Amino acid sequence: MRPARLRAFWVTVAGAAGAWLVVNVPVYLANPEGWKEFYTFSRERGVDWGSPWYVLQVIGKGIPGEQNNIYTGGALVLLCLGIAALILFAPRRPRYAQVAFLVVAAFCLTNKVYSPQYILWMIPLAAMARPRWRDFLIWQAGDVVYFVAIWYFLQQYGNDNKGLPEGWYAAAILVHVAATAWFSGLIVRDILRPEHDPVRTDGRPEHLDDPGGGVLDGAPDRPGWGRADEVDELPDEPEPVGAHAAG
């Protein structure tokens, strides 16, 4: 809505949908039950390792099994609505990497399970959303704590319970959740106060707008709801790749 690039948006949606169909339809036709297994398992599974819902279960405040999807799905929807409001109300259009990181982090923090490999989704986005080593390493320290804890906890199975006690494992989950929430909070601050954005304020002309945003880079910024009296006059069509640097 804000960058006035709806045509590019719908082309991207159509391309993604087409690619999904090309990959999935042949598999579904060949083995429909096998194709549905992941979705069925995801819907029916209970809360599991790594999630804040598991911590509630450990302390005796777990969610009834039949309500798992309602709570986890509802929490994700609420966070995504908050991100949408942030986009609309921000004084300046957020960069693509900032929004993408917040959405993926919202999923990881509200899902019924947090697998260690999920961090691979967030690291590239974090590097583009807030490229600051200190903040990145603090956030990753929290995930390293969880990475060590999950394997120390799991190794007790079949090993006479010689692994990490469940209470300490739950504490490690909270460390991971707090670290990810903290890093996300820094990105939210960068969006609300663009003068803190380390990309747009690094002094490089080609970074003034959204260098990782593709067609969004250099697009006009329709005024957010919190700044209706301001309009950024930018080109109606994307500039060629490298146009900023060439200028």
Side-chain angles (χ1 to χ4, degrees):
M1 294 176 63
R2 288 189 64 165
R5 289 289 183 262
L6 289 180
R7 179 182 177 185
F9 170 78
W10 289 116
V11 168
T12 302
V13 170
W20 188 89
L21 290 172
V22 167
V23 172
N24 283 269
V25 169
V27 178
Y28 177 79
L29 294 176
N31 185 2
E33 293 303 316
W35 180 86
K36 292 187 292 186
E37 178 60 28
F38 170 77
Y39 300 100
T40 302
F41 174 72
S42 298
R43 183 181 69 251
E44 296 178 351
R45 76 182 304 175
V47 298
D48 215 332
W49 296 316
S51 73
W53 313 105
Y54 183 87
V55 176
L56 293 177
Q57 183 173 288
V58 170
I59 64 177
K61 304 293 184 179
I63 303 169
E66 67 277 5
Q67 298 180 9
N68 284 335
N69 293 327
I70 297 175
Y71 278 83
T72 57
L76 177 59
V77 168
L78 287 175
L79 286 180
C80 287
L81 288 175
I83 295 169
L86 181 65
I87 295 171
L88 291 174
F89 283 97
R92 186 176 179 187
R93 187 183 72 246
R95 291 184 291 109
Y96 171 78
Q98 293 173 318
V99 175
F101 179 90
L102 292 178
V103 171
V104 175
F107 170 80
C108 290
L109 293 178
T110 59
N111 197 32
K112 288 188 285 187
V113 61
Y114 176 77
S115 299
Q117 65 269 22
Y118 286 3
I119 194 65
L120 297 178
W121 296 339
M122 291 191 283
I123 285 178
L125 296 174
M128 295 187 292
R130 185 168 177 79
R132 284 294 179 268
W133 275 112
R134 185 203 64 176
D135 301 336
F136 178 84
L137 292 176
I138 292 174
W139 168 51
Q140 282 301 288
D143 224 74
V144 168
V145 168
Y146 176 74
F147 186 85
V148 173
I150 178 61
W151 300 120
Y152 188 21
F153 174 68
L154 291 179
Q155 71 91 31
Q156 66 183 302
Y157 289 96
N159 195 26
D160 299 326
N161 295 324
K162 294 181 180 180
L164 186 69
E166 189 173 44
W168 284 108
Y169 172 61
I173 293 175
L174 293 179
V175 170
H176 144 70
V177 169
T180 301
W182 172 78
F183 193 84
S184 299
L186 292 179
I187 294 174
V188 171
R189 184 198 63 175
D190 294 345
I191 293 173
L192 293 175
R193 302 179 64 183
E195 66 272 17
H196 290 284
D197 186 340
V199 174
R200 285 174 167 165
T201 60
D202 67 359
R204 301 180 63 178
E206 63 270 26
H207 291 174
L208 288 176
D209 190 35
D210 193 353
V215 297
L216 300 177
D217 188 26
D221 184 8
R222 293 181 177 179
W225 290 357
R227 51 188 286 272
D229 58 331
E230 301 178 31
V231 179
D232 291 340
E233 297 292 341
L234 292 173
D236 290 335
E237 296 297 331
E239 296 183 12
V241 176
H244 291 298

